[in-house]
Amino acid sequence: MRASVGEGAGRGRGDGLDEFAAWVEELMRRRGYDIDSPRGGGKSKLADDAGVHRAGVSRLLQRQSMPDLETMRRLAVVLDVSLRDMLIRSGRLTEDDLPLSGNRRYEGTAAESRMSPEEAAWRMEVPVEQRELFVRVVRQFLPEGGST
């Protein structure tokens, strides 16, 4: 039986925790968090930036446990990855569990495969309070019809 999204404590090394933690470490390095020097402070800085408990970040990087859903959500924002990718990489859910809805990339003609500025804002996780502005700006750069 698959673990639910809220579960995570007690996950062992054989279930993808090592690979997931290594992926998070690489994301941290790419974002400039110093996790390689003893006094770099990257783990604490990431936790502070994400607004999560430092112990949760430490347990993940020490391969002791998976973060909970809220911690993953916050880390995803700071590490500039989608929550979908975070959940799939963690092994909690699969690509089949989280299909890209509305993905028309391989269907129909090129015109049909274009998404609207509203859908682009949603897919890019533009904050709700900024979506209207985003859509107005994007529409200025589009040919008539308004699709990306």
Side-chain angles (χ1 to χ4, degrees):
M1 185 166 135
R2 176 181 292 126
S4 73
V5 173
E7 296 174 358
R11 289 181 61 122
R13 291 179 172 262
D15 61 5
L17 181 56
D18 283 335
E19 294 83 6
F20 179 67
W23 179 68
V24 170
E25 287 174 345
E26 181 58 31
L27 290 172
M28 290 175 69
R29 287 183 187 99
R30 287 184 195 166
R31 301 295 178 263
Y33 291 97
D34 183 1
I35 60 170
D36 297 311
S37 63
R39 297 219 177 246
K43 296 173 195 173
S44 296
K45 173 110 173 75
L46 174 68
D48 291 345
D49 290 351
V52 300
H53 293 285
R54 293 176 184 182
V57 172
S58 291
R59 283 192 302 270
L60 168 62
L61 298 179
Q62 292 170 1
R63 278 67 170 171
Q64 294 175 347
S65 68
M66 283 285 184
D68 62 23
L69 178 59
E70 181 60 19
T71 300
M72 278 194 182
R73 185 186 69 75
R74 290 171 178 245
L75 291 175
V77 170
V78 172
L79 295 173
D80 197 27
V81 296
S82 71
L83 179 57
R84 178 183 187 274
D85 286 346
M86 186 77 66
L87 291 168
I88 291 170
R89 289 283 197 139
S90 73
R92 290 205 170 151
L93 296 172
T94 67
E95 289 187 43
D96 290 337
D97 294 327
L98 297 170
L100 290 173
S101 64
N103 187 352
R104 297 177 302 255
R105 189 172 299 176
Y106 302 108
E107 298 174 12
T109 66
E112 290 173 344
S113 67
R114 294 182 179 156
M115 70 179 81
S116 69
E118 292 84 2
E119 184 178 2
W122 177 80
R123 286 189 182 200
M124 294 172 57
E125 300 178 4
V126 174
V128 174
E129 63 275 6
Q130 296 176 346
R131 286 186 186 171
E132 184 179 334
L133 175 61
F134 174 88
V135 169
R136 281 189 308 212
V137 170
V138 168
R139 285 193 190 282
Q140 294 176 6
F141 296 96
L142 296 177
E144 287 186 42
S147 292
T148 56

